[in-house]
Amino acid sequence: MMTETHRGAAIAISQTSKRYADFVALDAIDLDIKAGEFMTLLGPSGSGKTTTLNLIAGFTEPDGGRLTIGGQNVLGLPAHKRGIGVVFQHYALFPHMTVARNVAYPLKLRSMRKSERESRVARALAMVKMTDFAHRYPSELSGGQQQRVALARALVFDPPLLLMDEPLGALDKKLREWLQLEIKRIHRELGTTFVYVTHDQEEALVLSDRIAVFNQGRIEQIGTGRELYETPKTLFVGRFMGESSVLRGAFSVANGKTTLSIGEQQVTVPGVLAGKQKPVLLLRPEKLRLLHRHETAPANCNVLDGQIVECIYLGSGAKYEVRLKDDSIAIVRSSEEGDFARGDKVQIAFAAEDARLLADDERAEMTLT
Ligand code: ADP
Ligand code: MG
């Protein structure tokens, strides 16, 4: 374990844009990252995550805006003078150097004494549990081991900030899940600021203090995983974070409530959207109850008729796809396996406060398919 416990550097990005010819890769983003925070940049491919990381690292310069690291303006400062650790998916190790020499490299660049270098390399390798591999060459390591060495190399000089771009992207699921926990532990031990890029929302939930959700060069929302899942501000964020169903239909508004018609039935929720926005309801699968048609729904619930088109056994419970009267599909998740089968005529029931009222947005669906 590293003995110096220092706090990481805060980052402030404001009104920062990046264009490639007439293509806007980043559109005036604002992002404040606290000292020592684990911030994840999450979004689909092409949404601007890597561009943002490259700007922080100094690999590219923005077309406008402000960027400070630890309170210092770093625009114009070359990457090697920013003192940042970097791990990329394909940021390869030097193939002709052993693990120990790879990890020592940033210290050599900084002209550190040999004895100091050796103790730091030993500490960094211990931190990523690669001590026994110090004399191997990268070609003698698995993908996961190589990324652990890359992590040790990025942290060996005690940077106040570590940037990681999909570092686990090339690894299989079990290994990825184990390394996620290792990265989380290392972050906790060091107190360094981590900025992590992924397109995998489950990975973001496991790792992050907060998550910034990117879509088409903009940040749609910044918050904890819980905030993004439970109170998304946009349909895109709601759809991107976890599973959901969306109800659309003719709507009316009265007494501060919105009513949607699905087939012959109506559902009503509290709240009204501002302006002329078309409302939709976002429903989480675990907030929906599945009932047989003859069952009476719990009081104060919205109820919609449907038919089960798919039953999926998940080990821990089951997932059902229910076709509603307007042909849309609702996804229901249940921890106990009820006596439901494909083809059953059913009802779904949900409490009004469990539905999120959001503005419809075609882009939300387009970007996801
Ligand atoms: P992400 O990491 O979220 O997948 P990027 O930040 O790499 O996305 O890219 C954002 C957008 O900018 C993409 O549409 C990409 O094609 C474009 N882009 C990135 N780098 C360049 C470049 N050097 N030249 C032209 N377009 C680029
Ligand atoms: Mg990328």
Side-chain angles (χ1 to χ4, degrees):
M1 190 179 137
M2 299 268 169
T3 47
E4 299 97 320
T5 42
H6 57 77
R7 287 175 62 77
I11 304 170
I13 299 173
S14 84
Q15 290 298 300
T16 295
S17 299
K18 180 72 190 174
R19 292 166 172 278
Y20 295 106
D22 56 2
F23 177 78
V24 181
L26 277 184
D27 190 2
I29 65 162
D30 293 308
L31 179 62
D32 278 311
I33 303 173
K34 298 182 195 120
E37 188 169 35
F38 199 123
M39 171 66 81
T40 296
L41 315 184
L42 173 69
S45 175
S47 57
K49 308 178 298 293
T50 295
T51 302
T52 303
L53 218 60
N54 285 338
L55 290 172
I56 298 171
F59 299 147
T60 52
E61 288 291 315
D63 298 318
R66 286 183 299 283
L67 169 59
T68 65
I69 299 178
Q72 304 294 311
N73 170 35
V74 294
L75 291 182
L77 194 67
H80 67 274
K81 294 210 169 139
R82 296 191 187 186
I84 298 172
V86 177
V87 182
F88 284 171
Q89 186 176 343
H90 303 290
Y91 198 68
L93 300 171
F94 303 115
H96 59 287
M97 289 185 193
T98 62
V99 164
R101 283 187 58 213
N102 263 284
V103 176
Y105 186 78
L107 304 178
K108 273 200 155 166
L109 283 183
R110 289 167 173 76
S111 313
M112 191 177 277
R113 283 197 337 271
K114 188 154 184 265
S115 59
E116 168 86 17
R117 229 159 56 205
E118 283 172 355
S119 73
R120 280 190 178 239
V121 168
R123 261 190 287 148
L125 286 178
M127 188 175 62
V128 299
K129 300 181 177 159
M130 287 296 288
T131 304
D132 295 345
F133 299 83
H135 301 293
R136 292 223 195 156
Y137 285 87
S139 62
E140 300 166 332
L141 302 176
S142 71
Q145 290 166 339
Q146 289 188 36
Q147 282 305 60
R148 276 148 70 196
V149 175
L151 185 58
R153 185 176 62 181
L155 288 169
V156 73
F157 59 95
D158 276 340
L161 172 58
L162 179 72
L163 306 178
M164 286 185 275
D165 194 348
E166 314 232 8
L168 310 182
L171 309 177
D172 67 46
K173 187 169 155 62
K174 278 272 176 255
L175 182 58
R176 212 162 58 221
E177 288 173 353
W178 179 69
L179 282 172
Q180 285 166 8
L181 296 179
E182 288 290 294
I183 289 171
K184 207 173 156 78
R185 170 183 63 80
I186 290 166
H187 173 255
R188 211 165 31 231
E189 284 178 12
L190 295 181
T192 305
T193 309
F194 279 31
V195 186
Y196 191 99
V197 164
T198 183
H199 62 268
D200 178 349
Q201 55 96 18
E202 282 182 39
E203 182 161 287
L205 286 176
V206 170
L207 289 170
S208 322
D209 295 319
R210 288 192 302 156
I211 300 167
V213 182
F214 279 68
N215 184 27
Q216 299 182 342
R218 293 169 191 242
I219 298 177
E220 295 234 349
Q221 190 172 348
I222 304 171
T224 63
R226 181 185 295 276
E227 286 164 353
L228 298 175
Y229 187 79
E230 292 183 359
T231 50
K233 292 205 174 110
T234 66
L235 184 58
F236 177 82
V237 172
R239 294 294 270 161
F240 202 75
M241 297 300 295
E243 276 192 310
S244 57
S245 318
V246 178
L247 300 181
R248 292 183 167 83
F251 68 97
S252 61
V253 164
N255 306 322
K257 293 181 176 179
T258 301
T259 298
L260 249 66
S261 297
I262 314 290
E264 310 274 270
Q265 293 169 299
Q266 272 86 39
V267 293
T268 299
V269 299
V272 170
L273 295 182
K276 291 225 159 61
Q277 303 181 96
K278 181 174 177 292
V280 298
L281 294 183
L282 182 93
L283 301 168
R284 293 300 184 190
E286 69 281 4
K287 300 287 190 191
L288 297 180
R289 272 195 62 187
L290 200 54
L291 302 164
H292 292 288
R293 278 286 169 85
H294 58 79
E295 285 183 83
T296 313
N300 303 319
C301 267
N302 282 300
V303 179
L304 292 170
D305 290 344
Q307 185 171 23
I308 297 181
V309 290
E310 201 66 77
C311 298
I312 300 155
Y313 172 68
L314 294 172
S316 58
K319 187 165 98 174
Y320 303 94
E321 291 183 12
V322 178
R323 178 176 293 126
L324 304 178
K325 294 290 178 172
D326 65 350
D327 279 337
S328 67
I329 299 287
I331 298 171
V332 183
R333 206 172 164 152
S334 144
S335 52
E336 67 256 42
E337 232 187 316
D339 55 342
F340 294 101
R342 207 156 66 85
D344 283 1
K345 292 196 150 98
V346 293
Q347 320 170 71
I348 60 164
F350 60 93
E353 66 268 20
D354 285 336
R356 291 274 82 75
L357 177 67
L358 295 168
D360 204 358
D361 177 6
E362 281 169 24
R363 291 178 321 145
E365 310 290 343
M366 269 164 43
T367 330
L368 292 168
T369 50

